[in-house]
Amino acid sequence: MKRTRKIFAVGAAILIIGIVVWIVGMSIIDWNFNGLDTTKYTAKSFTCDAEVKSISVSLSSFPLTVKKGDKVSLDYYEADNSEVFVEEKDGVLSIVENYKYKPFKSGLFNMGRSSHKFTLTIVSGAKLEIKGANSDVSIEDIDFEEFSMNSTNAEICFARVQFGKLNIDVTNCDIDMDDCKASDMIVDATNIDITVKNCEFDSVVIDGTNVDCELERVTLDKLSVDAVNLDADIVIVGIESEYTVQAKGRGMPTNRTGTTDKLIELSAVNSDVELKFV
């Protein structure tokens, strides 16, 4: 029995190595993996003629791009292995995509999803809620009254976006923010890599486990970070003497009292934190 288990383990290891070598080799010769996708995609579009004040998006496999326009509309795809529901009612636009797993057709052979994006065009000032799993999100050049995101296994990019209040609840996600503004940003995360550059906030709250955080040239009045396994590099645009720093845990900056009500609270188990002012 032990010999059988050993043979099985060795065989599984060889199979995994073979798959990795094959993928690397095909990548080197620029093989088009999307060509392995046997899914049938049908392009669709939906335009809202009435005023839309709130938008709810729930995706389970397609990537999403959000951009600014004069009307609210959606360019999307229907696939033979997913269901899409789009409805506008009483000023609320609902978009739901449910992925249906099919053995031998999903997984590696579902890579064509990356080139079939959902593109949502909205008017600045709307409320947007995004829920997703395995769905990358990219948003640029838009103003939101309210914005919330609940996502798993995704890359999320914000560029030149202005939020009223920003709520992010994610697991296994990479987040990039560049040249954005928000009154409050609240992040609740597990296994997150978040990079924030040249952004302005009134307050930022980050609470999570396994947090890799880079705040580069960020302007804010209040920052609160509470995490287990925290690796943070924080560069704040401001006068150092104005900020009170309250830190708990090893690898933390020194506590001090500032001359204003600007506050930085840092608390972590297993941490490596650098704090600078420019």
Side-chain angles (χ1 to χ4, degrees):
M1 187 68 177
K2 290 183 178 179
R3 184 172 181 271
T4 301
R5 290 180 178 176
K6 184 176 181 180
I7 292 173
F8 178 79
V10 172
I14 293 173
L15 177 61
I16 292 172
I17 294 172
I19 292 173
V20 171
V21 171
W22 179 77
I23 292 175
V24 172
M26 292 301 99
S27 299
I28 291 174
I29 65 174
D30 199 23
W31 178 273
N32 181 16
F33 287 98
N34 290 341
L36 298 174
D37 191 352
T38 59
T39 303
K40 295 181 180 179
Y41 299 97
T42 303
K44 298 283 186 176
S45 63
F46 184 93
T47 301
C48 300
D49 294 324
E51 182 182 4
V52 175
K53 296 182 179 178
S54 180
I55 303 168
S56 175
V57 181
S58 179
L59 302 181
S60 58
S61 64
F62 283 93
L64 172 67
T65 296
V66 183
K67 64 180 184 179
K68 182 179 178 181
D70 297 327
K71 280 189 175 182
V72 176
S73 64
L74 176 69
D75 295 315
Y76 65 103
Y77 290 90
E78 289 186 347
D80 58 6
N81 59 358
S82 67
E83 295 177 338
V84 181
F85 172 80
V86 183
E87 181 185 50
E88 185 276 319
K89 185 177 180 180
D90 298 330
V92 178
L93 175 62
S94 299
I95 303 166
V96 179
E97 180 258 331
N98 292 316
Y99 174 57
K100 299 183 294 182
Y101 179 81
K102 291 186 176 182
F104 308 111
K105 288 187 178 181
S106 302
L108 177 63
F109 304 106
N110 198 43
M111 298 178 69
R113 280 293 199 275
S114 61
S115 59
H116 294 82
K117 296 182 179 181
F118 278 40
T119 301
L120 175 63
T121 302
I122 68 175
V123 179
S124 284
K127 296 180 181 179
L128 178 60
E129 177 185 23
I130 297 176
K131 296 181 180 180
N134 311 308
S135 298
D136 296 343
V137 177
S138 177
I139 302 177
E140 297 182 357
D141 302 305
I142 305 176
D143 297 347
F144 294 101
E145 181 179 343
E146 292 183 17
F147 182 95
S148 64
M149 170 167 285
N150 189 316
S151 188
T152 303
N153 305 327
E155 293 186 3
I156 302 164
C157 298
F158 301 116
R160 301 171 301 280
V161 181
Q162 185 164 330
F163 307 93
K165 181 176 288 186
L166 173 60
N167 289 289
I168 298 175
D169 188 345
V170 294
T171 301
N172 302 330
C173 287
D174 291 343
I175 299 177
D176 286 315
M177 299 182 65
D178 190 8
D179 196 19
C180 296
K181 294 182 180 181
S183 57
D184 302 309
M185 181 171 76
I186 301 174
V187 179
D188 191 350
T190 301
N191 304 330
I192 183 177
D193 188 338
I194 180 169
T195 302
V196 181
K197 296 181 179 180
N198 306 311
C199 295
E200 297 181 19
F201 308 95
D202 291 337
S203 69
V204 174
V205 177
I206 300 174
D207 190 353
T209 302
N210 303 329
V211 176
D212 192 339
C213 177
E214 181 180 353
L215 305 181
E216 183 178 330
R217 299 190 64 84
V218 172
T219 302
L220 51 78
D221 290 336
K222 294 184 179 181
L223 171 64
S224 176
V225 181
D226 189 353
V228 176
N229 303 328
L230 172 65
D231 188 351
D233 189 356
I234 303 169
V235 180
I236 294 177
V237 178
I239 301 173
E240 182 175 358
S241 61
E242 293 182 350
Y243 288 82
T244 293
V245 177
Q246 298 176 351
K248 297 179 182 179
R250 295 182 178 180
M252 288 288 188
T254 304
N255 291 342
R256 58 177 175 270
T257 301
T259 59
T260 69
D261 61 353
K262 295 181 179 181
L263 176 63
I264 297 174
E265 295 179 304
L266 305 171
S267 179
V269 177
N270 303 325
S271 60
D272 184 3
V273 178
E274 290 189 16
L275 175 62
K276 299 178 182 179
F277 294 85
V278 295

